Tab-separated table of all heavy atoms in Angstrom:
chain	number	residue	atom	x	y	z
B	473	GLY	N	-11.703	10.571	-11.424
B	473	GLY	CA	-10.975	9.542	-12.166
B	473	GLY	C	-11.634	8.185	-12.066
B	473	GLY	O	-12.088	7.772	-10.991
B	474	SER	N	-11.711	7.471	-13.193
B	474	SER	CA	-12.195	6.083	-13.238
B	474	SER	C	-13.584	5.937	-12.637
B	474	SER	O	-13.857	5.006	-11.870
B	474	SER	CB	-11.209	5.153	-12.517
B	474	SER	OG	-9.919	5.277	-13.062
B	475	SER	N	-14.485	6.831	-13.005
B	475	SER	CA	-15.839	6.809	-12.449
B	475	SER	C	-16.708	5.753	-13.120
B	475	SER	O	-16.559	5.444	-14.298
B	475	SER	CB	-16.500	8.184	-12.592
B	475	SER	OG	-16.551	8.568	-13.965
B	476	TRP	N	-17.627	5.226	-12.328
B	476	TRP	CA	-18.641	4.276	-12.785
B	476	TRP	C	-20.007	4.947	-12.656
B	476	TRP	O	-20.131	6.015	-12.026
B	476	TRP	CB	-18.578	3.002	-11.948
B	476	TRP	CG	-17.366	2.161	-12.233
B	476	TRP	CD1	-16.081	2.405	-11.829
B	476	TRP	CD2	-17.321	0.954	-12.996
B	476	TRP	NE1	-15.239	1.426	-12.288
B	476	TRP	CE2	-15.960	0.517	-13.013
B	476	TRP	CE3	-18.272	0.189	-13.658
B	476	TRP	CZ2	-15.559	-0.642	-13.667
B	476	TRP	CZ3	-17.877	-0.972	-14.312
B	476	TRP	CH2	-16.525	-1.377	-14.308
B	477	PRO	N	-21.050	4.358	-13.254
B	477	PRO	CA	-22.369	5.011	-13.235
B	477	PRO	C	-22.864	5.440	-11.860
B	477	PRO	O	-23.449	6.523	-11.723
B	477	PRO	CB	-23.288	3.952	-13.867
B	477	PRO	CG	-22.392	3.247	-14.842
B	477	PRO	CD	-21.045	3.170	-14.142
B	478	LYS	N	-22.668	4.621	-10.829
B	478	LYS	CA	-23.139	5.013	-9.497
B	478	LYS	C	-22.392	6.243	-8.996
B	478	LYS	O	-22.989	7.144	-8.399
B	478	LYS	CB	-22.977	3.853	-8.506
B	478	LYS	CG	-23.416	4.186	-7.080
B	478	LYS	CD	-24.880	4.611	-6.999
B	478	LYS	CE	-25.296	4.883	-5.565
B	478	LYS	NZ	-26.701	5.340	-5.472
B	479	ASP	N	-21.069	6.293	-9.229
B	479	ASP	CA	-20.309	7.493	-8.868
B	479	ASP	C	-20.871	8.703	-9.605
B	479	ASP	O	-21.086	9.775	-9.026
B	479	ASP	CB	-18.827	7.337	-9.262
B	479	ASP	CG	-18.153	6.148	-8.629
B	479	ASP	OD1	-18.127	6.072	-7.398
B	479	ASP	OD2	-17.653	5.290	-9.383
B	480	GLU	N	-21.107	8.518	-10.911
B	480	GLU	CA	-21.540	9.626	-11.759
B	480	GLU	C	-22.942	10.111	-11.412
B	480	GLU	O	-23.253	11.300	-11.548
B	480	GLU	CB	-21.457	9.186	-13.226
B	480	GLU	CG	-20.022	8.964	-13.675
B	480	GLU	CD	-19.867	8.050	-14.876
B	480	GLU	OE1	-20.900	7.658	-15.457
B	480	GLU	OE2	-18.722	7.741	-15.234
B	481	GLU	N	-23.776	9.198	-10.928
B	481	GLU	CA	-25.128	9.590	-10.502
B	481	GLU	C	-25.060	10.624	-9.375
B	481	GLU	O	-25.771	11.652	-9.397
B	481	GLU	CB	-25.884	8.355	-10.036
B	481	GLU	CG	-27.281	8.631	-9.524
B	481	GLU	CD	-27.933	7.375	-8.951
B	481	GLU	OE1	-27.584	6.260	-9.395
B	481	GLU	OE2	-28.788	7.524	-8.053
B	482	LEU	N	-24.214	10.380	-8.400
B	482	LEU	CA	-24.063	11.324	-7.290
B	482	LEU	C	-23.337	12.589	-7.727
B	482	LEU	O	-23.710	13.705	-7.342
B	482	LEU	CB	-23.300	10.661	-6.141
B	482	LEU	CG	-23.902	9.388	-5.539
B	482	LEU	CD1	-23.041	8.901	-4.384
B	482	LEU	CD2	-25.330	9.623	-5.066
B	483	LEU	N	-22.313	12.413	-8.525
B	483	LEU	CA	-21.485	13.552	-8.940
B	483	LEU	C	-22.255	14.521	-9.828
B	483	LEU	O	-22.130	15.747	-9.687
B	483	LEU	CB	-20.228	13.061	-9.651
B	483	LEU	CG	-19.183	12.428	-8.732
B	483	LEU	CD1	-18.223	11.559	-9.525
B	483	LEU	CD2	-18.410	13.511	-7.980
B	484	THR	N	-23.045	13.991	-10.754
B	484	THR	CA	-23.788	14.893	-11.641
B	484	THR	C	-24.811	15.706	-10.853
B	484	THR	O	-25.056	16.882	-11.176
B	484	THR	CB	-24.485	14.117	-12.774
B	484	THR	OG1	-25.254	13.041	-12.223
B	484	THR	CG2	-23.474	13.555	-13.754
B	485	ALA	N	-25.388	15.112	-9.828
B	485	ALA	CA	-26.318	15.874	-8.991
B	485	ALA	C	-25.598	17.041	-8.326
B	485	ALA	O	-26.139	18.163	-8.257
B	485	ALA	CB	-26.951	14.963	-7.941
B	486	TYR	N	-24.381	16.783	-7.860
B	486	TYR	CA	-23.606	17.874	-7.241
B	486	TYR	C	-23.185	18.905	-8.292
B	486	TYR	O	-23.283	20.112	-8.067
B	486	TYR	CB	-22.371	17.316	-6.540
B	486	TYR	CG	-21.555	18.405	-5.876
B	486	TYR	CD1	-21.888	18.877	-4.614
B	486	TYR	CD2	-20.466	18.986	-6.537
B	486	TYR	CE1	-21.163	19.894	-4.011
B	486	TYR	CE2	-19.736	20.007	-5.945
B	486	TYR	CZ	-20.091	20.459	-4.682
B	486	TYR	OH	-19.380	21.479	-4.104
B	487	ILE	N	-22.705	18.418	-9.423
B	487	ILE	CA	-22.253	19.322	-10.486
B	487	ILE	C	-23.383	20.255	-10.921
B	487	ILE	O	-23.195	21.467	-11.070
B	487	ILE	CB	-21.727	18.508	-11.687
B	487	ILE	CG1	-20.418	17.811	-11.323
B	487	ILE	CG2	-21.529	19.405	-12.917
B	487	ILE	CD1	-19.968	16.771	-12.341
B	488	ASN	N	-24.560	19.700	-11.118
B	488	ASN	CA	-25.682	20.492	-11.619
B	488	ASN	C	-26.136	21.565	-10.640
B	488	ASN	O	-26.726	22.570	-11.036
B	488	ASN	CB	-26.856	19.573	-11.975
B	488	ASN	CG	-26.565	18.725	-13.201
B	488	ASN	OD1	-25.705	19.058	-14.013
B	488	ASN	ND2	-27.286	17.615	-13.332
B	489	ALA	N	-25.849	21.361	-9.354
B	489	ALA	CA	-26.244	22.339	-8.335
B	489	ALA	C	-25.099	23.268	-7.941
B	489	ALA	O	-25.282	24.168	-7.120
B	489	ALA	CB	-26.756	21.610	-7.090
B	490	SER	N	-23.911	23.067	-8.530
B	490	SER	CA	-22.722	23.808	-8.104
B	490	SER	C	-22.575	25.124	-8.848
B	490	SER	O	-23.217	25.367	-9.876
B	490	SER	CB	-21.477	22.955	-8.345
B	490	SER	OG	-21.259	22.797	-9.738
B	491	SER	N	-21.680	25.950	-8.321
B	491	SER	CA	-21.311	27.200	-8.991
B	491	SER	C	-19.884	27.561	-8.614
B	491	SER	O	-19.426	27.248	-7.513
B	491	SER	CB	-22.263	28.332	-8.598
B	491	SER	OG	-22.185	28.586	-7.203
B	492	GLY	N	-19.177	28.177	-9.528
B	492	GLY	CA	-17.817	28.630	-9.254
B	492	GLY	C	-16.801	27.519	-9.150
B	492	GLY	O	-15.701	27.727	-8.616
B	493	VAL	N	-17.127	26.319	-9.660
B	493	VAL	CA	-16.232	25.167	-9.606
B	493	VAL	C	-16.193	24.515	-10.983
B	493	VAL	O	-17.195	24.509	-11.702
B	493	VAL	CB	-16.713	24.120	-8.568
B	493	VAL	CG1	-15.727	22.955	-8.473
B	493	VAL	CG2	-16.913	24.759	-7.213
B	494	LYS	N	-15.036	23.970	-11.349
B	494	LYS	CA	-14.925	23.227	-12.598
B	494	LYS	C	-14.707	21.744	-12.310
B	494	LYS	O	-14.202	21.377	-11.243
B	494	LYS	CB	-13.790	23.785	-13.454
B	494	LYS	CG	-14.061	25.209	-13.943
B	494	LYS	CD	-13.277	25.530	-15.192
B	494	LYS	CE	-13.711	26.860	-15.782
B	494	LYS	NZ	-13.205	27.056	-17.149
B	495	PHE	N	-15.064	20.919	-13.288
B	495	PHE	CA	-14.982	19.472	-13.122
B	495	PHE	C	-14.361	18.833	-14.355
B	495	PHE	O	-14.734	19.161	-15.491
B	495	PHE	CB	-16.381	18.878	-12.898
B	495	PHE	CG	-17.081	19.410	-11.684
B	495	PHE	CD1	-17.808	20.583	-11.757
B	495	PHE	CD2	-16.983	18.749	-10.463
B	495	PHE	CE1	-18.446	21.091	-10.638
B	495	PHE	CE2	-17.615	19.251	-9.337
B	495	PHE	CZ	-18.350	20.428	-9.424
B	496	ILE	N	-13.420	17.940	-14.104
B	496	ILE	CA	-12.847	17.117	-15.168
B	496	ILE	C	-13.202	15.676	-14.830
B	496	ILE	O	-12.906	15.198	-13.736
B	496	ILE	CB	-11.316	17.282	-15.249
B	496	ILE	CG1	-10.948	18.750	-15.466
B	496	ILE	CG2	-10.741	16.416	-16.375
B	496	ILE	CD1	-9.446	19.028	-15.357
B	497	ILE	N	-13.843	14.982	-15.764
B	497	ILE	CA	-14.295	13.613	-15.508
B	497	ILE	C	-13.659	12.678	-16.521
B	497	ILE	O	-13.822	12.848	-17.732
B	497	ILE	CB	-15.833	13.495	-15.588
B	497	ILE	CG1	-16.501	14.530	-14.681
B	497	ILE	CG2	-16.272	12.087	-15.216
B	497	ILE	CD1	-18.019	14.547	-14.777
B	498	ALA	N	-12.915	11.691	-16.015
B	498	ALA	CA	-12.317	10.650	-16.851
B	498	ALA	C	-12.990	9.332	-16.481
B	498	ALA	O	-12.541	8.635	-15.570
B	498	ALA	CB	-10.811	10.573	-16.624
Side-chain angles (χ1 to χ4, degrees):
S474 304
S475 59
W476 288 75
K478 179 59 178 178
D479 302 302
E480 293 158 6
E481 178 185 332
L482 301 182
L483 287 160
T484 52
Y486 181 83
I487 291 169
N488 290 339
S490 68
S491 62
V493 183
K494 294 204 171 193
F495 300 86
I496 303 172
I497 307 176

